Amino acid sequence: QVQLVESGGGLVQAGGSLRLSCAASGRTFSSYAMGWFRQAPGKEREFVAAISWSGSSTYANSVKGRFTISRDNTKNTVYLQMNSLKPEDTAVYYCAGGSTYASSSSRYDYWGQGTQVTVSS
């Protein structure tokens, strides 16, 4: 069993930056693929970024070039560095873990509780 706890959300002006963190429990963190998803009010949850156990990464087109996902297996933590934030990035951001490196939320087994990111114009 893996427990995930996100932190780092908040209110930021458009053009600003935030770094989200997701701390994972469990000794098998390094073997998991990790992903970030987000859900805006009235919208479905959408893929943001994913990183494999070996460090390969993939991004949604909407965040490519602005967001960077990374992981530190010594700290059991995955990060999402978000730069050049836009009001449309406003959402609850969720961390997810699973055995498959994928952009589909259905491929992830473990989820955090979410952290709110609000970008003001």
Side-chain angles (χ1 to χ4, degrees), residues 3-101:
Q3 291 186 328
L4 304 174
V5 179
E6 302 98 333
S7 61
L11 173 64
V12 63
Q13 288 188 334
S17 299
L18 281 174
R19 189 177 81 155
L20 305 183
S21 299
C22 173
S25 64
R27 293 176 290 179
T28 58
F29 172 80
S30 61
S31 67
Y32 282 101
M34 301 297 296
W36 286 97
F37 293 78
R38 66 187 182 186
Q39 187 167 18
K43 295 187 177 181
E44 293 188 353
R45 189 172 298 187
E46 65 174 3
F47 170 73
V48 175
I51 187 166
S52 71
W53 64 270
S54 62
S56 298
S57 59
T58 186
Y59 299 89
N61 287 335
S62 59
V63 307
K64 199 171 294 183
R66 299 188 298 122
F67 291 11
T68 302
I69 189 171
S70 61
R71 66 190 300 161
D72 185 341
N73 290 336
T74 66
K75 296 182 178 179
N76 278 14
T77 301
V78 62
Y79 305 98
L80 185 68
Q81 178 66 44
M82 305 186 295
N83 299 329
S84 302
L85 282 161
K86 305 175 181 180
E88 50 263 44
D89 294 319
T90 295
V92 177
Y93 283 70
Y94 297 91
C95 172
S99 58
T100 304
Y101 173 52

